[in-house]
Amino acid sequence: MSNSRKSILFFSLFLTLLGTITSGKHVLAIAQSSESTQRLTVSQTSPSKLAQLSSTCTYDDRKTVETVKDKKGKVTLVGETYVIVTEGQDGIRYATCNLPDSFKVEGKAITFSGEVKEIYPNERWAATPLKITAIASSTSTPTPTPVQSIQSLSNGNYTFCSKPPSGTGNQQGVDLGHCYVFSKKGNRLVGDLYDTKTLGEVTACVSGVVNKRTVSGEAIEIVGDIGRQNIPPNSSGTRLVNWDNQGYLKVARATVIGRLNSPGRNNVRKVRYRSALLNLNGFYRHNQLKQAPTNCLKR
């Protein structure tokens, strides 16, 4: 082989090798850039302000079968237990063992990570057990939806108010409009309807049968005390009149069934409205604000 051909061949091999090295460096740079981008994306989607979590969990003795990361969902109350439901039409419901109290707000939007725990063969769960490892409020909290049907609720104690939850946890003493704190057994409800602006001084105990969002029955009210001094005008007739300014509760057939004879309270009367209709259309579900009554007449 001539020296000139050897030179050409050597130069070609050199160019090929140089191209491979350059290409390799380029591929490496792309891979590093891609890896950096992936890390950035994960960082951005992770909760930015993580809540402090309990280090112990009642599920700790269960095996972890799966981990979830940066899932979006909302907190909802099922019976008297707060669960997490993930976004989407087929959202998964998780029963958590360490949900912080500050996140126990109906409809609160969250981002969370956690360990899915095993369910033993002899168990039936209404939700999948989950130990939360990270949780934060989502940047946008959806507006709570007014209750659609109270009739479909399971038996238990509930609070519904005319104004939506603010997401600040315990809202005792906050202006929530009118609230109905009640116990439900079957289709029968017993509860207190009160104006939160009066801190409960104006209250009617309403009992009756629920049909979707309305309660038909009767009501008991104490009048002539610190709150209301007189019963609503014309409420002794058979035609329903407004008990409150907004007309959530309408009453009729008012009769005095008792008086308080303690000193300075001779004008305080217990009034029974034998016809009452409570409309909870547009009310929102809240955390339990106070204990619900069990019997209006025996209070």
Side-chain angles (χ1 to χ4, degrees), residues 101-148:
D101 289 341
S102 59
F103 283 79
K104 293 178 180 179
V105 179
E106 175 72 16
K108 186 176 183 64
I110 59 170
T111 302
F112 68 98
S113 301
E115 300 171 351
V116 179
K117 299 296 183 178
E118 69 174 331
I119 298 176
Y120 299 137
N122 60 339
E123 294 180 323
R124 290 174 64 96
W125 285 63
T128 303
L130 176 79
K131 179 179 181 179
I132 302 170
T133 56
I135 187 170
S137 299
S138 291
T139 52
S140 58
T141 301
T143 302
T145 304
V147 59
Q148 296 301 310

Side-chain angles (χ1 to χ4, degrees), residues 1 13 17 24 41 75 77 83 85 90 97 106 148 178 187 191 198 202 207 220 230 237 253-255 264 266:
M1 184 180 295
L13 289 172
L17 181 60
T41 302
V75 177
L77 194 59
V83 301
V85 181
D90 301 320
C97 58
E106 175 72 16
Q148 296 301 310
H178 280 73
N187 65 346
T198 69
V202 179
S207 60
I220 304 291
N230 296 290
R253 301 168 62 200
T255 57
N266 295 332

